[in-house]
Amino acid sequence: MTTEPKWHYENFEPTGSSIGYRITRKLDEVQSPFQKIEIFETTDWGNLMLIDGAVMLTTRDNFLYHEMMSHPALFTHAAPKNVVIIGGGDCGTLREVLKHEGVVEAVQCDIDEQVTRMAEKWFPELCDHNGDARAQLLFDDGIAYMANRPAGSVDIIIVDSTDPVGPAEGLFNKAFYESCFRALREDGILVQQSESPLMLLKLIQEMRAEMGKAGFQSFKTLPFPQPCYPTGWWSCTLARKSAGGFEFREADAKAKTFDSKYYNAGIHHGALSTPAFVAQALGE
Amino acid sequence: MTTEPKWHYENFEPTGSSIGYRITRKLDEVQSPFQKIEIFETTDWGNLMLIDGAVMLTTRDNFLYHEMMSHPALFTHAAPKNVVIIGGGDCGTLREVLKHEGVVEAVQCDIDEQVTRMAEKWFPELCDHNGDARAQLLFDDGIAYMANRPAGSVDIIIVDSTDPVGPAEGLFNKAFYESCFRALREDGILVQQSESPLMLLKLIQEMRAEMGKAGFQSFKTLPFPQPCYPTGWWSCTLARKSAGGFEFREADAKAKTFDSKYYNAGIHHGALSTPAFVAQALGE
């Protein structure tokens, strides 16, 4: 039995725009204690995960997001050893972090175990490093994890969460950032997904302001293409515990021994070259 | 009288994805001898132009496309003086070209005068340089224009057309590229919009092959964000008449005296840093 493909549209109210996919069938669905997770098969984008109706990732384009959430931060830090990922239950960011041989500990703390179970089943390529001895998969509250993490024990914190509504709301405020600040070493870096640089600069401003109240000293927002998110253009924001710039280990990035599909040293350089309209909005 | 905003969706069959906008009202509509042009007012993207139902541009994000269709090519050429734009009837590319003080002639040849009339009315900010003494607006067949243009009289040709179907189909084949090759000086550069680097690499390969048959020697595809086009990620492809690389006048780009909202030297550098998956597909 075959059925006609149907179009699934997600309307983004804050941006007044919409992204849709041609869907062949629903593959799976689970209602976890936190959210509803659905998996669809598409005609051109591989599998598609929705959480509470919002597109989280597709097979086809998730590499852009996962590479840009990890490599710029890890190549900015001089020698990252201890990495914590808050959220990131699909394991794609963890996979990229583990490509850095200097990393000795990579904790992924997502509140919802079902996200990882669905990723293992429908995005197995993202989970192929979950057995790495350096990886630790926790299914727990990321806010509590950071509050309890020993002071000065982390080099990089990656906040790879859903938007600041629902379960992820507490990951965008001063209290959470204070825990991160405390847990980081002096040269530590916090990196968080920070929405669309075209349409949601107000959110980036607010995020930076909260990070600043928690003690973070300097900030840099790196834009990158991300077709499945609103406006198709996304960003991560890096925050440094100590004052300092965001020059990166360009020679190491150029000589990297692992594969990446999007990230390279030149793209990192380009992402650091803030467009004038973004710089203006962020007061840089 | 107010009406509820409605969602307008454009389904892109070749990519299996869709982009939509929240529309408040239709502002204008004209059926030209070539195509149907419609203007809508959106809640968040300013005005929106559709041609035969396909999104051409919005007030909010057109700067990305227009800057990337012009500045990389003009800063790659050592001293561009004579520039021809084929298509580009909204005048946004012309506006960017005229920002280069060394340009002495900028011809815009679009087959459809109605596109320019609608741009003057609904995107007046793109047309504010049309009175420049160096600008020449022709409403004619771009294929014929290039066939008749004197040999060796052009430094940069910018093909700023719709997709390779309908009126623009003849702008993507060997015969047209041969006219361009002949019209360019030895150090001349052809630049053409080349669709999505994520989903439409086959088209870029075919375009490069046709350009090669016409004699063009070297090629470079530069990706850039473009939220209103399929996948939100777009590209332009530069072709050189003579063998050579695509190093650009980086010092001049850094010292540019005109404003741009997206383009800067670092972003140009980043756009030249072809992602691995694109390089692989294009055999670079």
Side-chain angles (χ1 to χ4, degrees):
Chain A
M1 193 191 81
T2 58
T3 52
E4 259 324 271
K6 285 181 184 153
W7 288 88
H8 168 87
Y9 303 110
E10 182 185 0
N11 296 339
F12 310 115
E13 297 298 333
T15 67
S17 60
S18 165
I19 293 178
Y21 294 96
R22 192 168 46 205
I23 301 287
T24 36
R25 59 191 172 123
K26 183 180 276 196
L27 295 169
D28 211 341
E29 179 182 321
V30 63
Q31 175 67 53
S32 81
F34 305 99
Q35 50 209 357
K36 182 178 175 182
I37 308 165
E38 296 166 283
I39 310 288
F40 290 90
E41 181 187 71
T42 71
T43 55
D44 294 83
W45 296 74
N47 294 339
L48 168 69
M49 180 190 284
L50 302 188
I51 291 188
D52 290 340
V55 171
M56 286 297 113
L57 75 158
T58 83
T59 306
R60 186 80 179 249
D61 74 344
N62 75 77
F63 68 94
L64 294 158
Y65 176 86
H66 290 134
E67 292 183 12
M68 291 303 285
M69 286 296 288
S70 52
H71 303 312
L74 271 80
F75 278 123
T76 301
H77 192 284
K81 289 186 174 60
N82 303 91
V83 179
V84 173
I85 301 159
I86 299 297
D90 60 41
C91 306
T93 298
L94 176 65
R95 180 172 181 266
E96 297 303 317
V97 166
L98 291 167
K99 289 180 179 176
H100 292 255
E101 288 181 3
V103 169
V104 297
E105 177 199 26
V107 175
Q108 174 188 299
C109 181
D110 196 299
I111 203 165
D112 193 347
E113 181 172 354
Q114 287 306 317
V115 174
T116 301
R117 298 297 158 241
M118 290 295 240
E120 287 168 340
K121 198 167 164 187
W122 300 109
F123 300 88
E125 68 281 9
L126 301 184
C127 301
D128 61 4
H129 286 57
N130 289 2
D132 190 305
R134 301 169 297 161
Q136 200 182 341
L137 274 67
L138 306 177
F139 303 108
D140 213 335
D141 177 9
I143 298 169
Y145 180 81
M146 288 316 306
N148 295 324
R149 177 91 195 191
S153 67
V154 186
D155 297 310
I156 306 269
I157 299 169
I158 302 176
V159 187
D160 176 3
S161 75
T162 50
D163 293 340
V165 288
E169 199 176 348
L171 301 176
F172 290 79
N173 62 36
K174 179 171 170 263
F176 173 68
Y177 295 140
E178 281 174 339
S179 296
C180 294
F181 188 85
R182 197 188 45 77
L184 285 170
R185 297 195 175 97
E186 276 311 301
D187 58 354
I189 296 171
L190 170 68
V191 53
Q192 184 161 22
Q193 71 89 358
S194 51
E195 313 271 321
S196 169
L198 185 68
M199 299 294 268
L200 302 167
L201 282 162
K202 193 165 168 289
L203 186 140
I204 302 176
Q205 287 168 317
E206 289 167 1
M207 178 188 290
R208 285 180 173 209
E210 293 293 300
M211 289 171 171
K213 285 183 210 164
F216 286 92
Q217 298 283 312
S218 56
F219 309 94
K220 189 77 186 174
T221 296
L222 281 63
F224 54 87
Q226 186 50 53
C228 77
Y229 289 166
T231 80
W233 199 16
W234 214 244
S235 70
C236 61
T237 293
L238 277 67
R240 271 192 175 283
K241 186 165 176 172
S242 308
F246 291 88
E247 303 77 26
F248 66 109
R249 292 182 286 121
E250 196 161 350
D252 290 347
K254 278 183 181 158
K256 72 184 172 56
T257 52
F258 59 81
D259 282 342
S260 53
K261 289 175 75 178
Y262 176 68
Y263 178 87
N264 63 42
I267 282 170
H268 190 155
H269 183 77
L272 287 173
S273 305
T274 311
F277 85 98
V278 174
Q280 198 170 16
L282 297 178
E284 282 185 355
Chain B
M1 194 189 81
T2 57
T3 51
E4 264 317 277
K6 285 180 184 153
W7 288 88
H8 169 88
Y9 304 111
E10 182 185 0
N11 296 340
F12 310 115
E13 297 299 334
T15 65
S17 59
S18 166
I19 293 178
Y21 294 96
R22 192 168 47 205
I23 301 287
T24 36
R25 60 192 172 122
K26 183 180 274 196
L27 295 168
D28 211 341
E29 178 182 320
V30 63
Q31 175 67 53
S32 81
F34 305 99
Q35 49 208 358
K36 183 177 175 183
I37 307 165
E38 297 166 282
I39 310 287
F40 290 90
E41 181 186 73
T42 71
T43 54
D44 293 83
W45 296 73
N47 294 339
L48 168 69
M49 180 190 285
L50 303 188
I51 292 188
D52 289 340
V55 171
M56 287 297 113
L57 75 159
T58 83
T59 305
R60 186 80 179 250
D61 73 345
N62 75 77
F63 68 95
L64 294 158
Y65 176 85
H66 291 134
E67 292 182 11
M68 291 304 285
M69 285 296 289
S70 51
H71 303 312
L74 272 81
F75 278 123
T76 301
H77 193 284
K81 289 186 175 57
N82 303 91
V83 179
V84 174
I85 300 160
I86 300 297
D90 60 40
C91 306
T93 299
L94 177 65
R95 180 172 182 266
E96 297 303 317
V97 166
L98 292 167
K99 289 180 179 176
H100 292 255
E101 288 180 3
V103 168
V104 296
E105 177 199 26
V107 175
Q108 175 188 300
C109 182
D110 195 299
I111 202 164
D112 194 346
E113 181 171 354
Q114 287 306 316
V115 174
T116 301
R117 298 298 159 240
M118 291 295 241
E120 287 168 341
K121 200 167 163 189
W122 300 109
F123 300 87
E125 68 281 8
L126 301 184
C127 301
D128 60 3
H129 286 57
N130 289 1
D132 190 305
R134 300 170 296 162
Q136 200 182 340
L137 275 67
L138 306 177
F139 302 108
D140 214 334
D141 177 9
I143 297 170
Y145 180 82
M146 287 317 306
N148 295 323
R149 178 89 195 193
S153 67
V154 186
D155 297 310
I156 306 269
I157 299 169
I158 303 176
V159 187
D160 176 3
S161 75
T162 49
D163 293 340
V165 288
E169 198 176 349
L171 301 176
F172 290 80
N173 62 37
K174 178 168 171 266
F176 173 68
Y177 296 140
E178 281 174 340
S179 296
C180 293
F181 189 85
R182 198 188 45 78
L184 285 170
R185 297 195 175 96
E186 276 312 301
D187 57 354
I189 296 170
L190 170 68
V191 55
Q192 185 161 22
Q193 72 89 359
S194 51
E195 314 270 321
S196 169
L198 184 68
M199 299 293 268
L200 302 167
L201 281 163
K202 193 164 168 291
L203 187 140
I204 302 176
Q205 286 168 317
E206 288 166 1
M207 178 189 290
R208 285 181 173 208
E210 292 293 299
M211 289 172 171
K213 285 183 210 163
F216 285 94
Q217 297 284 313
S218 55
F219 309 95
K220 188 78 188 174
T221 296
L222 281 64
F224 54 87
Q226 186 50 52
C228 77
Y229 289 166
T231 80
W233 199 18
W234 214 243
S235 69
C236 62
T237 293
L238 277 66
R240 272 192 175 283
K241 186 165 175 172
S242 309
F246 290 88
E247 304 76 26
F248 65 110
R249 292 182 286 121
E250 195 159 352
D252 291 348
K254 278 183 182 160
K256 72 184 172 57
T257 52
F258 58 81
D259 283 341
S260 52
K261 289 174 75 178
Y262 176 67
Y263 178 87
N264 63 42
I267 282 169
H268 190 155
H269 183 77
L272 288 174
S273 305
T274 311
F277 84 98
V278 175
Q280 197 171 16
L282 297 178
E284 281 186 357

